[in-house]
């Protein structure tokens, strides 16, 4: 089973970016933890991709068809704006879980609406880096059934 873990804009700055909201762990730290955790499931392979550009994220999702069984995505700011990313997820029809480090429902009003979540099987928000691990668990169980 192949899973694509996609991170959107500014998540490459994790570690120094608003640490009071996003913590001090870097994206590389999170990716290492996901990789480590993925070993507890048999036959799960992970690939990572981060981009600050909406079109690149759309291209990556389009190219995931036939290659990946599932996607874990933190679309970051594009969560709240990107019909293009939401449409790409729908177009490839790959089960996708949306992750947010912070609790987007407990922040500014504009963060409470997720356009991309409309195309996802579920969303995990507010548990920091552990959200990615929970997302992987839920996605693997979903795909196994
Ligand atoms: C985020 C929440 C978004 O509102 C924000 O734009 C981000 C990160 C999160 O992981 O909490 O960049 O997706």
């Amino acid at each position: 089973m192949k899973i694509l873990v996609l991170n959107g804009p500014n998540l490459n700055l994790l570690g120094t970016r608003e640490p009071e909201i996003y913590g001090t762990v870097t994206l590389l730290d999170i990716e290492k933890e996901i990789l480590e955790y993925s070993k507890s499931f048999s036959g799960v392979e992970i690939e990572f991709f981060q981009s600050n550009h909406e079109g690149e994220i759309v291209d990556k999702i389009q190219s995931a068809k036939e290659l990946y069984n599932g996607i874990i995505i933190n679309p970051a700011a594009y969560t709240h704006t990107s019909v293009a990313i939401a449409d790409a997820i729908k177009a490839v029809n790959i089960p996708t879980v949306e992750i947010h480090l912070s609790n987007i429902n407990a922040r500014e009003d504009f963060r409470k609406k997720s356009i991309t979540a409309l195309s996802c099987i579920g969303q995990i928000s507010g548990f920091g880096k552990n959200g990615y691990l929970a997302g992987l668990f839920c996605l693997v169980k979903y795909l196994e059934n």
Side-chain angles (χ1 to χ4, degrees):
M1 180 187 299
K2 290 191 79 174
I3 310 282
L4 175 64
V5 178
L6 258 171
N7 280 290
N10 300 307
L11 294 170
N12 55 316
L13 299 181
L14 286 177
T16 55
R17 174 195 179 199
E18 298 182 88
E20 64 291 351
I21 296 174
Y22 299 115
T24 52
V25 16
T26 67
L27 185 57
L28 193 64
D29 293 333
I30 293 176
E31 289 178 348
K32 279 184 192 155
E33 271 204 51
I34 295 170
L35 210 53
E36 201 48 43
Y37 184 58
S38 73
K39 293 178 189 158
S40 55
F41 307 98
S42 67
V44 171
E45 278 176 56
I46 309 275
E47 194 198 308
F48 299 104
F49 182 79
Q50 189 275 330
S51 175
N52 294 325
H53 305 280
E54 186 177 26
E56 281 183 9
I57 296 169
V58 169
D59 285 345
K60 189 69 185 177
I61 293 168
Q62 286 187 11
S63 73
K65 205 166 166 58
E66 320 296 345
L67 289 180
Y68 297 95
N69 306 94
I71 297 174
I72 291 173
I73 187 168
N74 183 346
Y78 289 136
T79 303
H80 318 295
T81 62
S82 184
V83 176
I85 292 175
D87 283 353
I89 296 168
K90 277 240 169 81
V92 294
N93 200 25
I94 299 173
T96 298
V97 177
E98 180 168 303
I99 309 296
H100 297 288
L101 294 152
S102 64
N103 181 358
I104 57 171
N105 292 299
R107 297 183 64 191
E108 302 97 322
D109 280 347
F110 71 86
R111 291 187 206 276
K112 291 181 180 156
K113 184 178 168 71
S114 171
I115 291 176
T116 46
L118 289 167
S119 303
C120 294
I121 54 173
Q123 183 198 67
I124 297 168
S125 168
F127 294 99
K129 64 186 168 91
N130 288 331
Y132 289 88
L133 307 183
L136 179 60
F137 175 87
C138 294
L139 186 56
V140 169
K141 295 294 157 195
Y142 179 92
L143 292 170
E144 279 173 358
N145 285 330

